[in-house]
Amino acid sequence: MTLLRVLAVASEVYPIVKTGGLADVVGALPAALQQHGVATRTLVPGYPDVLKALRSAETVLNWPEFYGGPIRVLAAAHDGLDLLVLDAPHLYARPGNPYVGPDGRDWPDNGIRFAALSRMAAEIGQGAIVSFVADIVHAHDWQAGLVPAYLHYGGSPRPGTVMTVHNLAYQGQFSPDMLATFGLPGESYALHGVEYYGTISLLKAGLQFADRITTVSPTYAREIQTDEGGMGFGGLLRERSDVLSGILNGIDVDVWDPATDRNIAAHFSAELPGGRAQNKAALQLRFGLDQAPDAMLLGVISRLSWQKGLDLLLETIPTLLGEGIQLALLGSGDRDLQDRFAALAQANPGRIGVVIGYDEALAHLIQAGSDALAVPSRFEPCGLTQLCALRYGAVPVVANVGGLADTVLDFDEAVVSGAAATGVKFAPVTADALAHALRKANLLFNDQVTWRRLQQAGMATDVSWHDRAARYAALYRELVAARH
């Protein structure tokens, strides 16, 4: 098998810097691709946390002026990842979140910060680092969306380009006055260029100019080609449907392994499930819930937002309490939703527990100790939480959208198909439908034979990257062959 070289470009990578599922994917995919003859180097911004994580690094590029200041590109290895780090202090030497300042607002120069990342990826793609000549440049989300545009306008030879959309809602829109600052030619500001309803959209640049477009589940790939689900890009994606495909995300099954997980109270497996009871007790203690082994414990690990349907969960609280279901919720986001969930926890001690914030270790305990895990998203490109839930025997209760539809087999669907059910799905995405799904899940939970079958089927599901990585490798090879 011929070795392929891929330059991945992303604004975050697990385990160094993470705000969401993008980091998990970018962190896990390279190792899985190695098994399919693909060597990946990942270009990321030199945030303080990234530079701090590098034990040793080699300077492979050193430029005195790049988008407003001097830069270096560092080559380093970290936790099995081969990294290229764009060390540009004038752009990235800022504390906290990669995208927003201490006031919670986007950094005003985000357009320049991520144009610089994309431009450097294009430079490397065209041979700036002699020792690493990429066959493919793989750009992730709007922060890397200008990579295909820079390569398109940069002449040839150039590598093939792949653009992966992790969430179409985040589009990277900036003033058209930024065109020259970004270093794009005037002709690019057009319908079949980077123009998007009077703005420049970095995501549109990627969708318009990439050789191949992927998104993170087959159902989401279909949804985003509609006017309703396309968020302004439906027409463009229908026009480019011949190069668009949906490839499901996986999870790192070494990080997410209940048999070895250091973040949980007791280890367990599908064959030896006894440790789940200890984790449930530990989770109830952590959230101040009653020690009630026979009550269904519903976990939620989510950004608190309209997209994630957490307002719908609020509307179902009377159903949840009436059914005797406990709730353990970890998340942050919209201030109003945070305040309302915190107030519910205060009003219902022992029944509802809420932790506002992000806590990776606690997320593992929720997966290991919850009986069921709710993901009521209005739209969900793929979702990783439900994949972790399957792995840990927490039965997913999910909206029938996007990757949730592709990864969970509903109990009623399984009765018809004869396959092994792994969870409960609901549609339409309304509070009434969610309430019905919670009642159904509680009914199933109280039939312990049936519930155990759901858990075992979920834990037997392959949620790893192996087969998904094979699809990416095949896509890369097909693109290289087509370009040659």
Side-chain angles (χ1 to χ4, degrees):
M1 184 182 297
T2 305
L3 180 71
L4 280 186
R5 291 184 172 192
V6 172
L7 175 66
V9 192
S11 58
E12 53 188 84
V13 59
Y14 179 86
I16 307 172
V17 57
K18 171 180 172 176
T19 68
L22 168 65
D24 291 306
V25 173
V26 175
L29 184 54
L33 284 169
Q34 274 188 326
Q35 303 169 42
H36 301 282
V38 178
T40 306
R41 299 189 88 170
T42 305
L43 176 68
V44 294
Y47 310 122
D49 285 348
V50 173
L51 296 175
K52 195 184 307 178
L54 306 182
R55 292 186 178 177
S56 62
E58 174 193 359
T59 299
V60 291
L61 286 177
N62 201 333
W63 290 357
E65 168 56 35
F66 192 74
Y67 286 85
I71 62 97
R72 299 182 301 163
V73 175
L74 307 175
H78 178 83
D79 203 31
L81 290 165
D82 287 325
L83 297 178
L84 293 170
V85 176
L86 177 56
D87 181 18
H90 60 292
L91 299 175
Y92 308 125
R94 304 171 191 184
N97 186 286
Y99 315 118
V100 302
D103 60 358
R105 297 175 183 271
D106 288 352
W107 293 111
D109 60 345
N110 270 351
I112 297 171
R113 296 171 77 224
F114 295 111
L117 180 71
S118 295
R119 170 67 81 178
M120 182 49 68
E123 296 285 350
I124 295 169
Q126 291 191 301
I129 300 175
V130 177
S131 62
F132 180 75
V133 180
D135 301 292
I136 300 287
V137 179
H138 188 161
H140 292 270
D141 262 356
W142 72 263
Q143 296 91 344
L146 285 178
V147 177
Y150 286 139
L151 287 169
H152 173 81
Y153 290 110
S156 57
R158 68 166 179 86
T161 53
V162 176
M163 180 76 203
T164 293
V165 181
H166 295 263
N167 191 333
L168 203 66
Y170 299 99
Q171 301 177 348
Q173 294 182 49
F174 299 95
S175 166
D177 297 337
M178 299 291 291
L179 194 71
T181 305
F182 290 160
L184 290 167
E187 71 214 57
S188 69
Y189 189 71
L191 175 64
H192 293 290
V194 301
E195 188 273 334
Y196 180 70
Y197 296 100
T199 71
I200 297 169
S201 166
L202 273 58
L203 179 62
K204 187 190 177 188
L207 300 178
Q208 183 69 57
F209 293 113
D211 296 316
R212 298 290 184 275
I213 303 167
T214 73
T215 191
V216 290
S217 71
T219 293
Y220 191 59
R222 292 190 294 273
E223 290 172 348
I224 62 177
Q225 293 180 65
T226 67
D227 290 337
E228 180 183 7
M231 299 186 177
F233 292 119
L236 170 59
L237 291 168
R238 288 193 294 274
E239 192 176 289
R240 305 214 66 207
S241 61
D242 58 328
V243 298
L244 169 63
S245 58
I247 302 176
L248 274 173
N249 283 339
I251 59 172
D252 187 327
V253 294
D254 293 325
V255 172
W256 292 97
D257 184 355
T260 60
D261 194 333
R262 291 178 294 179
N263 298 302
I264 65 178
H267 293 149
F268 62 93
S269 64
E271 296 75 25
L272 298 169
R276 282 206 107 259
Q278 291 171 255
N279 284 293
K280 182 172 181 177
L283 185 59
Q284 288 170 326
L285 182 65
R286 175 67 176 80
F287 277 84
L289 302 174
D290 296 336
Q291 290 289 315
D294 295 332
M296 188 176 94
L297 176 49
L298 181 70
V300 175
I301 307 162
S302 181
R303 188 169 71 251
L304 305 185
S305 68
W306 179 88
Q307 180 213 323
K308 298 294 186 178
L310 271 296
D311 56 316
L312 303 179
L313 183 63
L314 280 170
E315 292 185 51
T316 66
I317 293 299
T319 296
L320 190 144
L321 294 172
E323 290 280 320
I325 299 171
Q326 295 181 327
L327 175 65
L329 180 144
L330 169 65
S332 63
D334 294 351
R335 181 56 60 88
D336 178 60
L337 290 174
Q338 290 183 176
D339 292 345
R340 291 172 69 186
F341 275 112
L344 278 170
Q346 191 170 8
N348 297 277
R351 304 291 304 282
I352 296 175
V354 171
V355 172
I356 299 298
Y358 169 75
D359 186 324
E360 185 80 12
L362 183 55
H364 284 245
L365 181 61
I366 292 173
Q367 297 285 14
S370 298
D371 297 303
L373 191 112
V375 191
S377 303
R378 286 183 167 89
F379 64 93
E380 191 62 66
C382 179
L384 300 179
T385 309
Q386 85 282 4
L387 301 181
C388 300
L390 291 168
R391 176 92 165 134
Y392 279 62
V395 175
V397 180
V398 303
N400 190 24
V401 298
L404 303 175
D406 291 332
T407 54
V408 177
L409 183 61
D410 180 74
F411 183 79
D412 290 340
E413 291 174 339
V415 170
V416 174
S417 68
T422 58
V424 175
K425 292 195 290 201
F426 66 93
V429 188
T430 63
D432 286 345
L434 173 57
H436 176 74
L438 291 173
R439 288 192 293 267
K440 177 178 170 182
N442 199 35
L443 186 66
L444 294 169
F445 173 76
N446 285 296
D447 176 352
Q448 284 298 292
V449 173
T450 298
W451 194 256
R452 180 75 189 117
R453 285 179 185 150
L454 282 170
Q455 290 179 304
Q456 287 178 320
M459 295 180 80
T461 301
D462 181 8
V463 294
S464 76
W465 270 108
H466 185 268
D467 289 345
R468 281 87 157 175
R471 289 203 58 197
Y472 276 111
L475 178 75
Y476 297 153
R477 293 184 190 283
E478 178 255 313
L479 173 54
V480 168
R483 288 182 57 76
H484 287 169

